[in-house]
Amino acid sequence: MRAKVSEVVNKVIDEAAYLLDEFLWWLPAVLGIIVLSAITAFATTLTVEALVAIAVRS
């Protein structure tokens, strides 16, 4: 009985370690996409504000 409980605990720990490893592997790519999206949104906002300012002056 003790061996089975130990086996289950080891499987859970192995699976948690695997999932953490996968998460840490993909984290930089996901953060990169988020940062690029934020930069693109900021640039788009600045462009639209500039175009609106030009249109209002005309």
Side-chain angles (χ1 to χ4, degrees):
M1 180 67 176
R2 189 175 194 162
K4 288 194 179 223
V5 171
S6 179
E7 181 182 340
V8 169
V9 169
N10 285 335
K11 283 183 180 180
V12 169
I13 290 172
D14 287 343
E15 185 67 22
Y18 171 76
L19 292 174
L20 179 63
D21 185 50
E22 286 293 311
F23 173 74
L24 293 176
W25 174 258
W26 286 105
L27 185 63
V30 171
L31 290 178
I33 291 170
I34 291 170
V35 168
L36 287 176
S37 297
I39 291 170
T40 303
F42 183 68
T44 302
T45 302
L46 289 179
T47 303
V48 169
E49 285 181 3
L51 291 174
V52 168
I54 291 171
V56 168
R57 277 194 252 161
S58 299

